């Protein structure tokens, strides 16, 4: 079959931007290589220096063009796309008219790309690959189980494991990914969409993070078994003035350090701070067991560590507030389930009652 090069009506090629319209919705975007493509036959008005035209390049036309560019033979390209040769030729002619430039040179002996066709081939392949990736992502998301990314402050705290057990009993298909991170890092992960739910004191939460108090946790002090506080049923806060007090790493738990320092100030002193830091409750308990320091800790995170005892702080009794944290605009079912289960446990276990021994 003979294929002569068809004359292409002159058309000003877009070089700056295109406005894609679907009914009354419009969006402006940069046009790669001067080419505007709209899938699914949406119409695109293309502007260049105030002059407007209309194009309707379709994904199938891109596929047909790529096949023909790779086969350089109308018969083989038509068979590859499962269409008749005349339909392939017709679609390529329409594509060239829309773009305003010849993409192929056709003679009785060969088919080859023009300079414009070679440039368009690179863009067309990228567009088709992007569409394929998008379709794969949608299909993978549709097949996958619901997932929840949960922030935990330290493995020693028992609040989050208790809440997660209830959530997973109720939603056995829920896929949970736990991320151990300090509260400031949780705020960043939540705001950035890399975490769904967190836990911590909400006093420093940014505006985009919502919170709900669910537990008020009695604050106490961890000491070694031979310490003078060990035999006491309760330790007055003022007695900490004579101790070297280990604080949390500031970058990891500034809200907890602030809480402890405010408590000490309330009875008239600032503590002598131990010159050293640790990154976990377990590591802190090791230092306490050696008699090097004492550590303020909520009742919910007392580690099972040999040689260490926990005693509640009194005069005044103080309770650390634990809140669930999540993105304010996130109303997904897994997030709602976490908040609901935290609320239920709080009510059942009396975590917010004055006489409770839980954290919040």
């Amino acid at each position: 079959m003979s294929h002569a090069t068809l004359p292409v009506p002159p058309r000003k090629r877009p070089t700056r931007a295109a406005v894609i319209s679907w009914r009354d919705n419009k969006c402006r975007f940069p046009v790669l290589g001067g080419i505007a493509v709209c899938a699914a036959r949406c119409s695109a008005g293309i502007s260049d220096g105030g002059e407007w035209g209309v194009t309707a390049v379709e994904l199938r036309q891109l596929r047909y063009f790529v096949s023909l560019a790779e086969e350089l033979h109308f018969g083989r390209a038509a068979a590859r796309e499962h269409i008749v040769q005349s339909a392939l030729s017709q679609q390529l002619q329409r594509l060239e008219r829309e773009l305003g430039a010849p993409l192929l040179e056709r003679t009785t002996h060969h088919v080859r790309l023009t300079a414009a066709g070679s440039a368009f081939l690179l863009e067309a392949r990228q567009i088709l690959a992007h569409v394929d990736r998008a379709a794969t992502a949608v299909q993978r998301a549709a097949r996958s189980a619901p997932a929840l990314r949960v922030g935990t402050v330290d493995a020693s705290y028992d609040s989050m494991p208790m809440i997660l057990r209830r959530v997973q009993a109720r939603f056995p298909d829920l896929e949970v990914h736990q991320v151990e991170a300090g509260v400031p890092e949780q705020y960043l992960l939540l705001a950035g969409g890399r975490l769904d739910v967190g836990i911590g004191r909400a006093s420093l939460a940014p505006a985009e993070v919502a919170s709900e108090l669910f537990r008020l946790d009695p604050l106490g002090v961890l000491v070694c078994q031979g310490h003078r506080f060990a035999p006491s049923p309760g330790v007055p806060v003022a007695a900490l003035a004579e101790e070297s007090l280990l604080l949390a790493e500031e970058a990891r738990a500034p809200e907890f350090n602030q809480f402890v320092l405010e408590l000490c100030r309330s009875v008239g002193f600032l503590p002598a701070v131990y010159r050293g830091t640790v990154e976990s409750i377990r590591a802190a308990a090791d230092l306490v067991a050696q008699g090097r320091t004492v550590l303020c800790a909520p009742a919910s995170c007392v580690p099972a560590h040999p040689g260490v005892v926990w005693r509640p702080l009194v005069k005044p009794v103080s309770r650390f507030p634990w809140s669930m944290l999540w993105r304010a605009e996130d109303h997904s079912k897994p997030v709602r389930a976490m908040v609901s289960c935290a609320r239920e446990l709080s009510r059942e276990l009396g975590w917010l009652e004055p006489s409770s021994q839980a954290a919040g």
Side-chain angles (χ1 to χ4, degrees):
M1 180 181 290
S2 174
H3 296 277
T5 302
L6 297 177
V8 179
R11 179 172 182 159
K12 195 169 187 179
R13 295 186 62 195
T15 57
R16 295 178 188 167
V19 173
I20 295 292
S21 62
W22 178 257
R23 296 182 181 176
D24 297 327
N25 300 320
K26 294 184 178 181
C27 62
R28 186 172 294 274
F29 66 95
V31 181
L32 295 175
I35 297 166
V37 176
C38 180
R41 306 185 101 176
C42 65
S43 62
I46 301 178
S47 113
D48 181 31
E51 182 175 328
W52 290 86
V54 175
T55 186
V57 176
E58 301 175 30
L59 287 177
R60 63 173 178 168
Q61 292 174 332
L62 298 184
R63 289 199 306 270
Y64 296 164
F65 169 71
V66 170
S67 292
L68 186 52
E70 292 174 351
E71 298 291 345
L72 294 178
H73 188 281
F74 273 83
R76 290 195 299 268
R80 174 171 158 180
E81 293 296 329
H82 307 289
I83 60 173
V84 297
Q85 192 168 321
S86 59
L88 176 65
S89 179
Q90 183 182 55
Q91 290 298 325
L92 264 294
Q93 291 170 20
R94 287 180 180 174
L95 178 60
E96 288 177 321
R97 284 198 298 271
E98 292 296 340
L99 297 176
L103 302 177
L104 300 167
E105 290 181 359
R106 313 148 169 97
T107 71
T108 55
H109 302 294
H110 71 265
V111 176
R112 67 186 178 192
L113 292 171
T114 64
S118 296
F120 186 63
L121 178 60
L122 297 175
E123 301 289 351
R125 281 172 170 161
Q126 290 182 22
I127 292 166
L128 292 174
H130 195 102
V131 170
D132 287 342
R133 287 196 301 273
T136 300
V138 169
Q139 293 161 4
R140 186 183 298 118
R143 291 193 302 268
S144 63
L148 189 70
R149 297 160 299 177
V150 177
T152 60
V153 176
D154 189 285
S156 299
Y157 291 88
D158 67 9
S159 295
M160 189 61 85
M162 293 173 70
I163 296 168
L164 284 175
R165 280 195 294 271
R166 175 159 298 198
V167 170
Q168 290 183 293
R170 191 168 297 173
F171 302 97
D173 292 334
L174 182 63
E175 187 177 284
V176 175
H177 303 275
Q178 296 189 50
V179 179
E180 190 168 306
V183 176
E185 186 180 359
Q186 288 186 47
Y187 290 153
L188 293 175
L189 294 173
L190 285 166
R194 291 173 289 164
L195 197 67
D196 301 309
V197 178
I199 185 174
R201 188 187 184 197
S203 60
L204 303 177
E208 60 268 31
V209 174
S211 65
E212 181 173 322
L213 179 69
F214 71 91
R215 189 171 185 177
L216 291 172
D217 200 348
L219 192 65
V221 60
L222 278 177
V223 299
C224 62
Q225 283 183 336
H227 196 278
R228 64 190 178 96
F229 292 162
S232 304
V235 176
V237 174
L240 297 178
E242 302 173 24
E243 300 295 328
S244 174
L245 185 63
L246 176 63
L247 295 179
E249 191 174 19
E250 184 65 19
R252 192 170 171 83
E255 76 294 335
F256 184 77
N257 289 345
Q258 180 188 59
F259 187 84
V260 171
L261 293 175
E262 287 173 354
L263 177 62
C264 293
R265 285 194 194 99
S266 72
V267 296
F269 77 97
L270 282 177
V273 177
Y274 178 79
R275 297 176 67 85
T277 60
V278 293
E279 293 188 355
S280 69
I281 298 295
R282 186 171 298 278
D286 287 336
L287 286 177
V288 171
Q290 298 169 32
R292 292 176 175 271
T293 185
V294 300
L295 173 72
C296 287
S300 67
C301 68
V302 176
H305 193 287
V308 169
V309 295
W310 181 87
R311 294 293 179 260
L313 286 170
V314 296
K315 299 180 182 180
V317 171
S318 183
R319 297 191 294 167
F320 185 76
W322 291 105
S323 293
M324 294 299 296
L325 310 169
W326 69 97
R327 282 188 307 283
E329 73 275 11
D330 189 346
H331 305 290
S332 63
K333 187 174 181 179
V335 169
R336 294 199 312 269
M338 284 289 293
V339 176
S340 175
C341 287
R343 195 180 295 142
E344 289 174 10
L345 279 170
S346 177
R347 185 171 56 251
E348 292 170 13
L349 301 177
W351 281 347
L352 295 177
E353 295 300 322
S355 60
S356 172
Q357 294 299 302

